[in-house]
Amino acid sequence: MDTQIVRGSVELLADIAEFTEPSDLCAFRLTCRAIYQITLRHFAQTFLHTLKTDLSPKSFARIEEAANNEVFRLCVRKLEITRNRDGYWGPRCTDATLNEASIQAWRDVMKRLVNCRSFEVRNSTYTTPHCGSDGITFDEATGLVLKAIATGSIPMESFSIDIAKYRSRPHQDSLTQFTITTFGITAFSHLKELSLVIPDAEAETIGWMAKLIQCAKSLRKLTILFGWKCESTSLLSQISSVGCLPELQELTFSRMSIQSSAALGMFLYSIRNSLRAATFSFVQLEDGGWRSILRELGGGGYRLDSLILHRILELDKFLSFGKIPEYPLAERSLDRKLYRPLQFCFVRQQDVGFSYSGPDLWRVVQRVAALIELS
């Protein structure tokens, strides 16, 4: 009877643990071995949703340990690849045999992490902006992991690449490069979310992005952030066919230059039946281009519920929304990557953005099209 009472008390405490704050949970688990064991699954679900790696051997060993634990491996949903403290990406390896062994090791780990469907590569890639460049490249260590994902038949549902800045030419030349365009397109066929933060618009990179997006037939959320003024017309023309993105609901474009609003209009028209939310930040069109786009969005053929316009431009001039102050833009609702300040840009805060969510969006957009003006 006493044993049953003790067991019941421990189980009750385990139930209580599920309502504690993460920091309190860690302290609570140290009170006794029984509580430590019985709260293990809840602990894993709380803290092991995302695993981070800098691709060093020590970091890989920690991920491998989690993959070999029968409780932990089921709780991992996301793998984050980030730079280590020195800003480098694991050891350089020129031995093809060792490289293949590393790829196989990552394949084995990710097959054990059966619920890991989200992959994020942050501050990890660099470009080759010199003449004759074939676009974005990875350092070799990152490339090995991506090869493991592509060749291991991992059904990715979310994928994100965030390139912080160009790396110096000497640093580039000291590393073995892995070209992004060799990363298998079929690996993206299950994607539901895709985020590409790429300060580059080389033809090879644009072509790879287009094929990637075309392959992801179940994509519901697409975010593309280029370098400032990167020409994006070619990309839009390649992904504008009707039926290319039949399930896309959320769209974000930032830091893009589009030579003709017709290219953007054709793309938006191709996704008009599914699109529910759109965000445009630092996107430049030709003179009158945004008025044309807004008239189309307000024409009644779209099912948009939400629209955010943040520092959009025509012919290098920001558009002002000062005449429609009842729908101001709340910057806190934007991803910080979307509004990194530009040098020498001085625009009155109350004029630079517009946002609206609601059933009468098309009517509001029509009004915006009539009242916006160059600042």
Side-chain angles (χ1 to χ4, degrees):
M1 178 65 71
D2 292 342
T3 302
Q4 292 177 348
I5 292 175
V6 171
R7 184 182 297 114
S9 299
V10 172
E11 290 173 349
L12 176 60
L13 291 173
D15 292 337
I16 294 173
E18 295 188 8
F19 298 94
T20 60
E21 295 295 324
S23 58
D24 296 332
L25 174 61
C26 292
F28 186 56
R29 297 186 72 237
L30 297 177
T31 55
C32 74
R33 180 173 297 180
I35 292 178
Y36 181 89
Q37 291 293 338
I38 205 167
T39 59
L40 182 61
R41 187 173 299 277
H42 178 59
F43 170 83
Q45 292 172 341
T46 302
F47 288 96
L48 293 182
H49 177 277
T50 300
L51 290 183
K52 297 183 180 181
T53 176
D54 59 16
L55 303 183
S56 64
K58 184 178 180 180
S59 175
F60 174 76
R62 290 196 299 268
I63 292 178
E64 191 173 35
E65 184 178 0
N68 291 332
N69 185 291
E70 290 302 317
V71 175
F72 292 170
R73 73 184 186 90
L74 300 176
C75 297
V76 178
R77 297 291 192 275
K78 181 178 181 180
L79 180 65
E80 236 179 62
I81 303 174
T82 60
R83 286 185 295 179
N84 61 22
R85 289 176 295 179
D86 299 322
Y88 295 96
W89 285 82
R92 182 184 179 192
C93 180
T94 58
D95 189 314
T97 302
L98 293 178
N99 281 348
E100 184 57 38
S102 178
I103 293 173
Q104 187 58 50
W106 275 101
R107 283 198 202 105
D108 293 341
V109 162
M110 287 186 286
K111 286 180 179 179
R112 297 280 293 166
L113 301 175
V114 294
N115 293 319
C116 185
R117 296 291 182 266
S118 179
F119 298 86
E120 181 174 345
V121 184
R122 293 194 298 111
N123 299 329
S124 62
T125 55
Y126 56 92
T127 63
T128 51
H130 53 82
C131 182
S133 165
D134 60 356
I136 299 298
T137 59
F138 294 106
D139 54 87
E140 185 182 35
T142 313
L144 294 179
V145 177
L146 294 182
K147 279 185 178 180
I149 296 172
T151 58
S153 301
I154 308 299
M156 289 189 296
E157 294 184 359
S158 176
F159 186 75
S160 172
I161 298 177
D162 186 348
I163 301 173
K165 58 184 177 182
Y166 291 109
R167 292 197 177 189
S168 65
R169 290 289 305 147
H171 190 189
Q172 290 181 33
D173 293 335
S174 69
L175 294 172
T176 302
Q177 297 183 358
F178 172 85
T179 306
I180 194 174
T181 52
T182 64
F183 187 16
I185 298 300
T186 56
F188 298 98
S189 59
H190 298 279
L191 279 184
K192 291 182 172 60
E193 296 186 10
L194 174 63
S195 178
L196 302 169
V197 184
I198 297 179
D200 168 277
E202 300 286 346
E204 290 290 334
T205 305
I206 291 291
W208 175 81
M209 291 171 62
K211 291 177 182 177
L212 183 157
I213 294 169
Q214 291 168 347
C215 179
K217 296 298 184 182
S218 299
L219 198 64
R220 297 178 182 174
K221 184 175 182 179
L222 174 62
T223 299
I224 299 178
L225 283 73
F226 273 132
W228 175 235
K229 291 190 177 181
C230 274
E231 173 52 49
S232 312
T233 306
S234 173
L235 175 63
L236 293 182
S237 65
Q238 294 181 65
I239 60 175
S240 293
S241 60
V242 176
C244 176
L245 295 168
E247 299 182 23
L248 188 66
Q249 297 179 4
E250 297 182 46
L251 174 70
T252 298
F253 283 166
S254 182
R255 301 199 295 276
M256 297 166 64
S257 176
I258 304 173
Q259 291 179 338
S260 170
S261 59
L264 178 58
M266 288 179 62
F267 172 68
L268 293 174
Y269 184 81
S270 71
I271 57 175
R272 68 191 186 283
N273 292 325
S274 60
L275 187 64
R276 296 294 180 272
T279 298
F280 300 100
S281 177
F282 291 111
V283 177
Q284 179 173 261
L285 298 178
E286 81 280 13
D287 184 28
W290 278 112
R291 295 168 181 81
S292 174
I293 291 296
L294 292 173
R295 291 190 194 101
E296 180 178 340
L297 293 178
Y302 289 76
R303 301 179 181 179
L304 274 176
D305 299 318
S306 173
L307 178 64
I308 297 175
L309 303 175
H310 175 253
R311 297 190 179 183
I312 57 175
L313 303 93
E314 290 181 0
L315 296 178
D316 291 322
K317 293 184 179 180
F318 288 99
L319 288 172
S320 170
F321 299 87
K323 291 186 178 181
I324 43 176
E326 65 266 43
Y327 307 117
L329 175 69
E331 280 200 349
R332 62 180 178 273
S333 68
L334 287 174
D335 187 322
R336 291 189 62 83
K337 293 193 290 288
L338 296 180
Y339 59 96
R340 291 172 181 166
L342 297 177
Q343 193 174 14
F344 306 123
C345 284
F346 301 98
V347 183
R348 288 181 298 168
Q349 186 60 47
Q350 65 269 26
D351 291 346
V352 299
F354 153 85
S355 62
Y356 181 81
S357 297
D360 294 326
L361 179 63
W362 66 279
R363 296 180 185 275
V364 176
V365 170
Q366 285 180 335
R367 185 180 182 199
V368 174
L371 296 179
I372 56 172
E373 55 188 15
L374 294 177
S375 60

